[in-house]
Amino acid sequence: MLDPSEASWDDYGEQLLDLAARNGAEAAEVFLSKSHSIPILFEANRLKSVLTHHSEGVALRLWKKGKPGLAVSHGSIAPEQLVEKAIALSELQERSKYVELTSGCKQVYPDLGTWVESKQLLDWGEDAIARLRKTHGDILCSAELDTEAESTRLLNSQGLDCSYTDTTLSGYLTVEWVRSDDFCSISDGQVQRDTLNLGAIVSRIQDHIKACERNVAAPQGRVPILFTAKAADLVWETLSAALNGKQVFEGSSPWVEKLGEQAISSQLTLSQDPQMGPYSCPFDDEGEPTQPLIFVENGVVKHFLCDRTTGRQLGTGTTGNGFRPSLGSYPTPSLYNLIVSSGEKQTLQDLIASLPDALIVDQILGTGGGISGDFSINVDLGYRVRNGEIVGRVKDTMVAGNIYHCLRNVIELGGDREWNGSCYTPSIIVEGLSITSKLDNP
């Protein structure tokens, strides 16, 4: 592996650029990534393992005689070998009219986040499990806590050289509750920069356990459906795909002709913010500074997310959203975070109290409908609401419909935004979806 010292980190990238130029490359780019993490796992109420993970990788992208070549190393390799590999691969490619490189200067961005040692993670995990079992001694608890520092450096032959280190903390708890032939699994967690509040996660799981004490029949037909912040990602995944400039250019997005038009409920505003939350990011994988941007404002489509190539194709320029799906991939339009507007009701309980008859979806089995918007999911954890109160858990229930259609029929947004993956979302109540279940599901 590369020497973890900063000197070696700097020297290796510069060596690759120099060797690429001496071997006839007209342009070159080096992307270096290294990470260090200490995942701690609990299983069946007990500590299972304390691990240490360290990884490093480098990707060299160059153009020789107008032909692009991309070579990757995840282990020890001499810079001469990596350059030779990239040049050999470029000989198999077609000539490229454009060289998509960002110009710039050397800039080291401030480190993001705080490293937390394994002892603190252990204490947090043990305390969370003890609190859960104090009130419910018959449950089995699993937990995964991790602190990870990931360093990224990007430099190219146009003078760009930028880097930063991103440290995040994550904590996830899962409870399994078995009563006779009734099995219930409840999961919750969070990702933060500086500290974890597992106490809030414990309280939420305890509320879930209480709501699961009784099984009831699911509502039939079409009633309002409340997706909690944890489950709402099902909705936003589809809109993220519709806003992808590559999908727009290829004509596969249903919003190709929607720029400047009303596409969804006026209650919804979707944006990105490079300085917000644990998924903040100073520059993309092409070296472009990330920028705050509103994609959908009060339901009106304002912008599509683009990398340099897609921005040129659409005539809009990049939005700083060019990211690599993996080290060996070319940058493609991607979100680093998605911020969803919040509503006036401040808590989930406020939303529930407003519903005479409804279904709450908190955990799902299956995935969303992709860019088409059509989906059908199994409700892994859901509840029946009657007269503004949760009356019990529903089982053997499915929800189906179209995301775009239901987002034109938003009843209300919550004020309870939280990070679900890289999406900062509130709970949301929609209508226009169908519910099917076994009539004898209790």
Side-chain angles (χ1 to χ4, degrees):
M1 303 296 287
L2 300 178
D3 189 307
S5 71
E6 290 300 321
S8 177
W9 178 267
D10 293 341
D11 292 346
Y12 194 76
E14 291 167 352
Q15 287 177 37
L16 288 172
L17 290 181
D18 181 61
L19 285 169
R22 284 195 280 149
N23 281 272
E26 300 96 39
E29 172 191 81
V30 178
F31 183 89
L32 298 116
S33 176
K34 62 181 179 180
S35 67
H36 179 71
S37 65
I38 47 171
I40 294 176
L41 305 179
F42 292 84
E43 190 174 280
N45 306 325
R46 297 181 179 181
L47 177 66
K48 179 182 180 182
S49 62
V50 179
L51 306 174
T52 299
H53 289 165
H54 184 77
S55 65
E56 295 178 350
V58 58
L60 170 65
R61 183 165 58 146
L62 56 74
W63 286 259
K64 183 174 182 180
K65 297 180 181 179
K67 297 181 178 182
L70 174 63
V72 174
S73 172
H74 291 278
S76 178
I77 184 172
E80 294 84 0
Q81 290 179 283
L82 196 63
V83 171
E84 290 175 4
K85 183 179 179 181
I87 290 175
L89 290 171
S90 74
E91 294 172 353
L92 305 175
Q93 306 298 316
E94 299 289 336
R95 287 182 62 86
S96 175
K97 184 178 179 181
Y98 299 96
V99 176
E100 303 289 348
L101 288 183
T102 302
S103 300
C105 58
K106 185 175 180 65
Q107 184 167 2
V108 178
Y109 290 86
D111 291 355
L112 304 173
T114 302
W115 181 266
V116 173
E117 297 295 340
S118 57
K119 176 63 168 63
Q120 180 64 77
L121 297 178
L122 276 167
D123 290 345
W124 284 341
E126 290 173 347
D127 178 68
I129 291 174
R131 290 180 59 183
L132 284 168
R133 288 185 50 77
K134 184 177 181 179
T135 55
H136 297 85
D138 56 343
I139 60 174
L140 289 177
C141 299
S142 300
E144 181 174 351
L145 296 95
D146 193 8
T147 180
E148 179 178 20
E150 183 173 359
S151 297
T152 299
R153 184 179 180 224
L154 181 67
L155 62 162
N156 66 30
S157 55
Q158 302 299 314
L160 178 74
D161 188 352
C162 51
S163 61
Y164 76 103
T165 297
D166 178 12
T167 302
T168 53
L169 304 173
S170 60
Y172 294 93
L173 302 173
T174 298
V175 164
E176 295 180 348
W177 192 22
V178 181
R179 295 170 296 164
S180 183
D181 60 348
D182 188 17
F183 174 81
C184 181
S185 178
I186 304 167
S187 299
D188 208 339
Q190 61 180 210
V191 178
Q192 297 292 340
R193 287 275 189 222
D194 300 310
T195 189
L196 292 174
N197 182 11
L198 292 188
I201 305 303
V202 168
S203 295
R204 286 212 295 259
I205 290 179
Q206 289 172 332
D207 290 340
H208 281 293
I209 294 173
K210 182 178 179 180
C212 289
E213 290 177 350
R214 180 187 177 199
N215 293 332
V216 299
Q220 298 296 308
R222 295 177 183 269
V223 299
I225 296 178
L226 191 162
F227 289 96
T228 66
K230 187 169 68 173
D233 191 48
L234 164 76
V235 175
W236 312 126
E237 281 182 358
T238 294
L239 296 199
S240 298
L243 290 166
N244 189 307
K246 185 176 181 181
Q247 304 279 10
V248 173
F249 178 73
E250 294 173 351
S252 55
S253 169
W255 284 358
V256 170
E257 304 295 335
K258 289 291 187 180
L259 194 63
E261 296 185 8
Q262 191 85 30
I264 51 179
S265 168
S266 61
Q267 296 186 56
L268 291 169
T269 294
L270 280 69
S271 61
Q272 66 178 15
D273 188 338
Q275 297 184 346
M276 186 172 182
Y279 298 92
S280 56
C281 179
F283 59 86
D284 69 4
D285 290 351
E286 296 181 301
E288 292 287 343
T290 50
Q291 57 180 298
L293 192 65
I294 296 176
F295 297 111
V296 178
E297 186 173 21
N298 299 325
V300 177
V301 180
K302 295 290 187 179
H303 294 96
F304 299 118
L305 59 122
C306 297
D307 59 2
R308 287 176 63 86
T309 299
T310 304
R312 171 176 48 78
Q313 292 169 332
L314 293 178
T316 61
T318 179
T319 58
N321 288 91
F323 291 94
R324 302 168 185 255
S326 64
L327 198 62
S329 303
Y330 287 93
T332 189
S334 304
L335 286 168
Y336 48 87
N337 63 26
L338 182 67
I339 315 301
V340 183
S341 55
S342 61
E344 296 181 358
K345 287 188 168 59
Q346 293 303 303
T347 68
L348 178 60
Q349 190 56 49
D350 292 334
L351 291 178
I352 294 171
S354 69
L355 296 169
D357 189 20
L359 174 69
I360 298 176
V361 177
D362 187 69
Q363 292 174 192
I364 64 172
L365 294 175
T367 59
I371 200 167
S372 72
D374 294 323
F375 76 99
S376 178
I377 56 158
N378 288 296
V379 179
D380 184 41
L381 187 62
Y383 307 102
R384 176 76 180 269
V385 176
R386 283 181 177 154
N387 300 319
E389 294 183 352
I390 293 177
V391 295
R393 175 192 175 207
V394 301
K395 298 175 61 178
D396 304 317
T397 300
M398 296 184 65
V399 174
N402 183 275
I403 296 296
Y404 302 105
H405 176 71
C406 78
L407 289 182
R408 289 192 289 269
N409 297 277
V410 173
I411 297 175
E412 193 151 15
L413 295 171
D416 58 341
R417 290 193 297 182
E418 61 183 53
W419 289 101
N420 180 30
S422 58
C423 184
Y424 192 49
T425 172
S427 299
I428 179 173
I429 304 174
V430 298
E431 57 184 0
L433 301 176
S434 64
I435 302 168
T436 57
S437 65
K438 295 180 180 179
L439 294 177
D440 58 347
N441 59 23

